Amino acid sequence: MTNHQTRLEQAQKAVQKASEKAQNTPYRLGYHIMAPAHWINDPNGLIQWAGEYHVFYQHHPYSSKGGPIHWGHVKSKDLVFWEHMPIALAPGEDYDRSGCFSGSAVDNNGKLTLIYTGHVNLDVEKDQFVEYQCLAESSDGVHFKKHPSNPIISEPPKDGSPHFRDPKVWKHNDKWYMVLGNQVNNLGNVVLYESSDLINWEYQGILVQSTGKMGYMFECPDFFELNGKHILLFSPQGMELEGDLYQSLYQNGYYVGKFNYETKEFNHGDFVELDKGFDFYAGQTFLDDKGRRIVIGWMSMWESVMPEQEHGWAGAMTIPRELKLNENNHLVMMPVEELKILRGEHLTLSATVISENIRLDHIKGECLEIVAEYSLKGCTAQKFGINIRCSEDRTEKTMIYYDTHSGKVTVDRNQSGKGEGGIRRSEIHGQDHESIKLHLFIDRSSLELFVNGGETVMTSRIYPNPSSVYVELFAEEGAVQLLNLDSWELADIWK
């Protein structure tokens, strides 16, 4: 047995033992990807391989507070019901002894191949480290062997820095390409490499580089084609607040443009945030056999208060979302169609005028999907919306509402229970809409809001009391016409 196999078995035993305590605890999610126990962050290695969907994730199997990062692993046949697999990667080699950091997955001649960053701390107190790019392979999609040629890239570009991580690899014609996050002179960059065999890589230059406005580091880059355009999705760190924009500690967003594979030039437009909520980071995408570009993000944020940690787990992934590019060159996200499998009893509310708070006593629960459409014609209310996870006495609630004067949707979690409060606002594009549709996925300690077909998406962790299960409709300073409301209880995939 190799040292790597021993470390994997030790990590697997640790997380399995901890999972007994983490199950059925407060805030435990019902239909999202989570580790059996302990810490997770970035999604990694998203791929459809051998007829199944695979998601790997940054994982510390020994603590809910984080530590030397492993690669956890789940797989699914339908993007809905997930199966926990053995931990795929454990740190310990000279090139990854402090962590197997984020990366991606490809199918290389039938082998499921992971490309990741090996992180090695030199002096933790002085924040001195090195980062290498590494490769691991599997023939069965379960057991992975680190490649004898590791590290496949042993140093950053000449003008780069040790911040050199998160490889995303894809194939175009007969060549492999890799984008990596890098830092140059305390500014974020994405750099490009090319290879014919996944082992020997040649530096091709800087794909995009930061101005001071774009922060000091670009993490988790993802480069793909959609509707004839090229998209660079990445996570800049260090952007300053700008009104309602860039409110989280770190961001996740994209450039849309055109890439020339001959000149290696990427001409693009302005940066756009992908998700306007509190908790979306390190989004990664893959292409499935239906031709869909699907994205999953880490449903948390660095340095956030995480009340679930005291129950032996921390972090989760968003639901899978299909990405589309609209006529305005903006990415639109909507939940994948398969999630309808989770729907249980269907409850409705017919058209009605809302002019005050109305509790929907027939619609309540911890795991719900709600679709509510309001008419903007003749609307006199200054704001209207939905309160979810409300307590019996209304002291606890999460507010989702539309402000007719500003044209913005707001998520207010200042009364959402434990955890951090705060408000996120986002302007709704296309003010010529005759109606506004709010599509909510509620899962115990999370809210994912899709507005007007996913033109605006806002993801938030919330930590209400388990008894706070009520739903309210409300309007202030006037009235609004509710056109229709549909609600479903959603199944728990982990029971």
Side-chain angles (χ1 to χ4, degrees):
M1 183 181 295
T2 65
N3 289 335
H4 185 230
Q5 288 173 316
T6 300
R7 294 193 302 272
L8 286 173
E9 289 187 4
Q10 291 171 341
Q12 191 64 38
K13 288 178 181 177
V15 78
Q16 285 176 341
K17 182 178 180 180
S19 70
E20 297 175 7
K21 295 181 179 179
Q23 304 306 313
N24 301 316
T25 59
Y27 319 124
R28 190 79 178 165
L29 296 163
Y31 54 86
H32 285 79
I33 295 171
M34 299 176 294
H38 289 158
W39 173 270
I40 74 170
N41 57 287
D42 304 355
N44 302 144
L46 277 60
I47 190 172
Q48 188 179 22
W49 182 82
E52 295 182 308
Y53 296 98
H54 292 258
V55 173
F56 301 84
Y57 51 86
Q58 298 282 272
H59 180 37
H60 185 229
Y62 297 102
S63 170
S64 60
K65 300 290 186 179
I69 291 296
H70 298 54
W71 273 40
H73 182 195
V74 294
K75 71 174 185 178
S76 171
K77 295 183 182 300
D78 58 11
L79 287 171
V80 179
F81 293 93
W82 296 90
E83 177 185 358
H84 287 298
M85 303 300 293
I87 292 170
L89 295 176
E93 276 60 52
D94 289 342
Y95 50 79
D96 67 8
R97 65 175 181 265
S98 305
C100 298
F101 278 15
S102 294
S104 52
V106 298
D107 183 336
N108 183 28
N109 297 320
K111 288 187 176 181
L112 180 51
T113 304
L114 309 181
I115 305 95
Y116 69 97
T117 294
H119 184 83
V120 177
N121 288 323
L122 303 177
D123 189 321
V124 175
E125 290 185 1
K126 295 181 180 179
D127 194 29
Q128 294 177 348
F129 58 87
V130 291
E131 293 182 326
Y132 306 101
Q133 312 318 314
C134 311
L135 187 147
E137 297 176 321
S138 174
S139 297
D140 63 5
V142 180
H143 305 93
F144 292 84
K145 292 183 179 180
K146 297 178 182 180
H147 201 279
S149 297
N150 282 341
I152 54 174
I153 302 178
S154 58
E155 58 184 7
K158 285 184 179 180
D159 58 350
S161 77
H163 291 276
F164 178 56
R165 54 184 174 268
D166 310 335
K168 180 61 183 279
V169 175
W170 74 98
K171 197 170 191 178
H172 179 76
N173 295 331
D174 60 345
K175 295 286 188 181
W176 293 101
Y177 292 87
M178 176 194 295
V179 285
L180 285 151
N182 192 212
Q183 186 184 85
V184 178
N185 297 323
N186 289 317
L187 295 174
N189 286 330
V190 172
V191 293
L192 179 69
Y193 284 77
E194 183 182 88
S195 173
S196 58
D197 60 5
L198 286 178
I199 304 298
N200 300 287
W201 292 89
E202 294 184 3
Y203 177 58
Q204 302 296 308
I206 295 174
L207 187 69
V208 299
Q209 56 190 120
S210 172
T211 63
K213 175 183 176 181
M214 289 300 299
Y216 56 78
M217 178 63 190
F218 291 172
E219 288 198 322
C220 303
D222 186 357
F223 197 64
F224 54 91
E225 190 172 348
L226 193 60
N227 292 5
K229 300 288 180 70
H230 292 93
I231 315 291
L232 177 67
L233 176 65
F234 63 107
S235 296
Q237 298 180 327
M239 296 184 71
E240 294 186 2
L241 296 178
E242 193 175 304
D244 293 323
L245 300 175
Y246 322 135
Q247 291 282 316
S248 295
L249 176 64
Y250 302 136
Q251 316 311 318
N252 192 219
Y254 59 92
Y255 291 137
V256 177
K258 290 293 289 184
F259 178 66
N260 187 315
Y261 276 95
E262 297 298 323
T263 65
K264 308 298 190 291
E265 292 181 347
F266 178 48
N267 296 309
H268 59 82
D270 294 332
F271 179 77
V272 181
E273 283 185 284
L274 183 61
D275 187 296
K276 305 296 178 62
F278 294 88
D279 296 290
F280 187 96
Y281 191 69
Q284 288 291 292
T285 77
F286 68 99
L287 192 67
D288 78 349
D289 58 12
K290 298 178 182 179
R292 298 178 298 180
R293 177 62 57 173
I294 296 171
V295 63
I296 295 175
W298 179 38
M299 193 165 60
S300 195
M301 179 53 60
W302 293 110
E303 299 187 20
S304 293
V305 174
M306 300 179 182
E308 71 266 33
Q309 286 178 318
E310 64 185 79
H311 301 288
W313 64 281
M317 300 300 151
T318 65
I319 55 176
R321 306 166 178 182
E322 183 178 359
L323 279 177
K324 294 183 179 180
L325 191 67
N326 68 15
E327 64 277 6
N328 297 318
N329 278 339
H330 284 172
L331 289 178
V332 173
M333 288 190 289
M334 279 297 287
V336 294
E337 193 74 11
E338 289 89 335
L339 288 167
K340 291 179 180 178
I341 299 170
L342 293 172
R343 290 175 174 176
E345 183 181 7
H346 180 205
L347 299 173
T348 65
L349 181 65
S350 56
T352 186
V353 174
I354 309 296
S355 59
E356 58 184 354
N357 279 61
I358 301 175
R359 175 173 288 178
L360 306 179
D361 289 326
H362 66 304
I363 296 175
K364 58 185 176 181
E366 292 184 279
C367 299
L368 298 173
E369 179 185 358
I370 299 172
V371 182
E373 186 171 9
Y374 299 84
S375 175
L376 296 179
K377 290 182 177 180
C379 175
T380 60
Q382 180 175 329
K383 64 181 182 182
F384 60 83
I386 305 176
N387 295 330
I388 63 161
R389 299 305 309 273
C390 302
S391 60
E392 180 75 42
D393 63 4
R394 303 188 67 249
T395 59
E396 191 169 86
K397 60 186 175 181
T398 299
M399 301 179 66
I400 302 102
Y401 61 86
Y402 179 70
D403 187 304
T404 55
H405 291 179
S406 66
K408 295 179 180 180
V409 163
T410 294
V411 174
D412 182 341
R413 65 177 188 184
N414 280 321
Q415 296 171 266
S416 296
K418 290 187 177 180
E420 297 182 63
I423 291 175
R424 292 287 185 270
R425 296 185 179 91
S426 179
E427 186 173 351
I428 301 303
H429 298 291
Q431 293 300 307
D432 55 348
H433 286 302
E434 294 185 351
S435 65
I436 185 166
K437 182 180 288 188
L438 306 178
H439 190 170
L440 290 71
F441 279 79
I442 303 156
D443 189 0
R444 296 199 177 106
S445 61
S446 73
L447 164 67
E448 291 169 85
L449 170 67
F450 301 84
V451 184
N452 289 348
E455 290 183 1
T456 296
V457 181
M458 304 173 80
T459 302
S460 306
R461 294 300 301 274
I462 56 175
Y463 298 94
N465 189 292
S467 64
S468 298
V469 294
Y470 297 100
V471 176
E472 295 179 337
L473 303 181
F474 70 92
E476 295 182 4
E477 298 183 38
V480 63
Q481 174 76 44
L482 175 75
L483 297 174
N484 51 70
L485 184 146
D486 294 274
S487 175
W488 300 265
E489 288 190 20
L490 299 183
D492 189 331
I493 68 171
W494 301 113
K495 288 187 176 179

